[in-house]
Amino acid sequence: MTDTKQAPTTVSNIGVVMFTVADQDAALAFYTEKLGFELRGDTRFGENDEMRWLEVAPPGSRARLALNPPMYDKPGGSSIGVETKDVLGEHARLSAIGGIDLDAEPMRTPGAPLMFMLRDPDGNTVVVVEEPAA
């Protein structure tokens, strides 16, 4: 139900998705060296630079993935979906690299796009989905 008295949102983009990770350096290596993402930001902050804001993203993506240490609990348990025009090719590429926990093959489900899932070393899930036709 829409409340017509409420002003429309000023939010225009999903910019950053956040994963909790046990080791930011290990996560950075996984996403850049295994998945081919690029480093978008690595900034220290806090009174003594004890905290770190780390962002990666697929080349050309506007949205970024922040790799954060856990705030209250253990790492992992989050998920994101990323898109590609070539799900089979990306699955083959990642399979050839090795050392990645990914589904044995992409899923073909009626009514859903072709997709497969992979898990990072902390248990976060990346769903690789076929990009919708324009």
Side-chain angles (χ1 to χ4, degrees), residues 42-91:
D42 190 351
T43 307
R44 294 278 179 184
F45 65 99
E47 191 173 315
N48 298 305
D49 284 342
E50 70 276 9
M51 294 181 271
R52 180 181 184 193
W53 186 261
L54 180 62
E55 290 183 350
V56 296
S61 175
R62 285 184 57 198
R64 289 136 7 249
L65 175 60
L67 304 170
N68 303 318
M71 292 178 65
Y72 306 108
D73 204 356
K74 61 183 180 179
S78 297
S79 63
I80 61 168
V82 298
E83 295 178 331
T84 179
K85 292 180 181 180
D86 185 6
V87 170
L88 297 175
E90 185 64 9
H91 187 272

Side-chain angles (χ1 to χ4, degrees), residues 102-123:
L102 72 150
D103 294 347
E105 60 185 52
M107 295 179 272
R108 294 185 186 274
T109 306
L114 182 63
M115 69 180 82
F116 68 90
M117 295 180 210
L118 64 95
R119 275 90 20 214
D120 76 9
D122 290 295

